[in-house]
Amino acid sequence: VGAGTFAPVAVDNLDVHPMHAEWYEVPEDTQRRVRQARAEGRPVFAVGTTAVRALESWGLDGAPTGDTRLLIQPGYQWRVVDKLLTNFHLPRSTLLALVMAFAGQERIRAAYAEAIAARYRFFSYGDAMLLG
C-alpha cells in the first residue's frame, strides 16, 4: 500500500487527480488461479483495494509486476475482479471512487447511509463490506 492511497482527492474532476503510484506483483500461482476460476465460471475475489488495483493492472496489460497509477472510478470496465471485500472508506478518496465503480454510486450511498446510522467504523481498521 502506497502512502498516496490515503491522500484526499483535492479536485472536483477525478480525471485530473494526480494518482499515486503503487508497486504491485501478481505471482504466477495467483495468475494461474484466476485463469482457472475464469475457466470454471467461478468468481474472482479481491480482499482490499490494493489487491484490486494489482489484479486489474495485470488484467489491463498482462504485466505481473510494475508500478501502477490505475485510477478506478465509475465507468471503469472490470477485467478481473468479481467480488470485493473492503472497508468503508472516507469521502473524497480514490478508494471510495473505486468502490463506487465496483458496486454503483447509488448502492454505495445507501450502504454508507446505513453504516453511518448504525455507527459502523470507517477507514482502514473499521468494519468491512462484501460487494459483488
Side-chain angles (χ1 to χ4, degrees), residues 11-29:
V11 297
D12 291 330
N13 179 354
L14 272 176
D15 291 331
V16 299
H17 174 72
M19 189 61 182
H20 64 282
E22 283 186 294
W23 184 86
Y24 73 93
E25 178 178 6
V26 180
E28 286 184 32
D29 186 55

Side-chain angles (χ1 to χ4, degrees), residues 26-45 55 58-59 79-82:
V26 180
E28 286 184 32
D29 186 55
T30 301
Q31 295 172 48
R32 182 185 58 74
R33 288 172 184 260
V34 167
R35 288 185 187 109
Q36 183 177 359
R38 287 277 176 255
E40 295 173 0
R42 293 183 291 111
V44 173
F45 281 74
L55 289 168
W58 166 65
R79 291 161 179 82
V80 179
V81 177
D82 300 305

Side-chain angles (χ1 to χ4, degrees), residues 4-5 11 13 17-18 21 26 38 48 53 56 58-59 68 71 74 77 94 103 105 108 119-120 122 124 127 130:
T5 297
V11 297
N13 179 354
H17 174 72
V26 180
R38 287 277 176 255
R53 287 183 73 208
E56 290 294 320
W58 166 65
T68 184
L71 172 56
Q77 296 299 307
T94 59
Q105 295 179 53
I108 293 302
R119 301 182 59 122
Y120 288 9
F122 280 58
S124 296
D127 291 302
L130 177 62

